[in-house]
Amino acid sequence: MTVTHIPPLPVRDKAAGRALSPMLTRLAEERATGVLVREHGVLHLAEGRVVHAESPCSPGLGVLLTAHGTLATAAWQQAATRTTSPPRAAELLLESGMLPVGALELCHLDALYDAGYFALAPSSTPGRFRYDHTPRLGPLPSVPVVALERETLRRRLLLHRLWPDPAADSAPLIRADPVAPTPLTPRQRAVLDRVDGVRTATGIALDLGRQAFHTLVDVRRLAAAGRLAPAPGAVPDPVPPYPPPVADPDIALLKRLRDALEAL
């Protein structure tokens, strides 16, 4: 097994024709098999395609399968103890007929893109790639590197447009009390109900059994509406900010405008 140390993977503009991760692009071109280990997660490659992703910021495949009744928790735990990875556990359940093919494929892709988003976040430490023949192209869908990069950039842009301040993404959250609260969707209400000054967006996603990125979308919308905020004095973990455009709005100005509108 060979270990290759690589520098932090920069965020680059796909629209400008440059890759999000040059190293990952080269690994895809050489059809490499192994594991790319980064500060916020790992990407498992087989023949240059992403077959699995994991991140401590993302609930993971087991949570997505068991949280809403798709699969019994005991069944997942039993399969997980018999294998070395979540995809293999899912394959065992698929072979035993305990999981519908469509539901498993959907949850697998949801978990892959969710964890991949965090794994490709800008890093303060070097990543490393371990060449290994353990990852393989199995019955679960794999994803081209370019597709994961494209989706990651799309998600960063979406969050930036919803509310450009990323502070609430990783800090403990508290409720705010706007003067004129806006109506909430059921999803937003479920998130806000779990804001207690201790939980972060990741903790809320785990509690709800939802993808972490979808929870970030609700958190940014609630922050923009003045319904929640980072706890005072909280030091958020590094999160993947979207590179601001040339005419990026001033965050402090947006907050002042929001407060003025609430006071009307």
Side-chain angles (χ1 to χ4, degrees):
M1 181 184 296
T2 304
V3 178
T4 300
H5 293 279
I6 59 176
L9 306 184
V11 178
R12 297 186 179 182
D13 188 357
K14 195 71 174 180
R18 292 174 293 180
L20 176 66
S21 163
M23 169 59 80
L24 193 55
T25 299
R26 289 194 293 272
L27 291 170
E29 291 172 349
E30 71 177 58
R31 298 176 62 85
T33 295
V35 182
L36 176 61
V37 181
R38 296 201 15 96
E39 184 177 9
H40 299 293
V42 298
L43 299 175
H44 297 254
L45 302 181
E47 300 178 20
R49 295 175 65 89
V50 183
V51 294
H52 179 55
E54 295 176 89
S55 171
C57 302
S58 178
L61 179 59
V63 174
L64 296 185
L65 283 171
T66 59
H68 305 290
T70 304
L71 179 72
T73 302
W76 173 261
Q77 292 173 342
Q78 184 178 12
T81 59
R82 296 171 54 196
T83 62
T84 57
S85 69
R88 278 297 298 143
E91 289 172 20
L92 284 179
L93 292 166
L94 185 62
E95 293 167 2
S96 67
M98 299 183 67
L99 272 175
V101 175
L104 175 55
E105 290 182 349
L106 180 61
C107 283
H108 169 69
L109 288 174
D110 285 345
L112 190 157
Y113 278 111
D114 200 44
Y117 169 81
F118 295 101
L120 287 177
S123 174
S124 60
T125 60
R128 61 190 185 276
F129 185 74
R130 299 197 307 262
Y131 286 93
D132 188 1
H133 295 294
T134 300
R136 59 188 178 82
L137 290 173
L140 297 179
S142 59
V143 173
V145 164
V146 66
L148 179 59
E149 289 184 330
R150 186 187 306 117
E151 177 61 14
T152 297
L153 288 172
R154 185 194 71 82
R155 293 183 178 203
R156 291 182 187 177
L157 177 57
L158 172 61
L159 289 181
H160 183 79
R161 286 173 172 169
L162 290 175
W163 183 244
D165 187 351
D169 289 0
S170 55
L173 300 171
I174 59 172
R175 296 192 189 194
D177 188 18
V179 175
T182 57
L184 300 179
T185 66
R187 289 183 58 89
Q188 291 169 350
R189 171 56 63 188
V191 170
L192 192 60
D193 285 346
R194 287 161 175 79
V195 172
D196 57 4
V198 176
R199 287 189 179 101
T200 63
T202 296
I204 292 173
L206 184 62
D207 189 59
L208 291 171
R210 294 179 182 171
Q211 296 173 57
F213 174 76
H214 289 177
T215 303
L216 288 183
V217 169
D218 290 326
V219 164
R220 291 269 187 133
R221 284 178 170 149
L222 289 167
R227 302 299 294 265
L228 59 73
V235 179
D237 295 330
V239 293
Y242 180 76
V246 175
D248 189 34
D250 183 79
I251 293 173
L253 175 60
L254 286 175
K255 290 181 177 178
R256 290 196 297 271
L257 288 173
R258 181 194 67 194
D259 293 341
L261 289 172
E262 290 175 354
L264 292 177

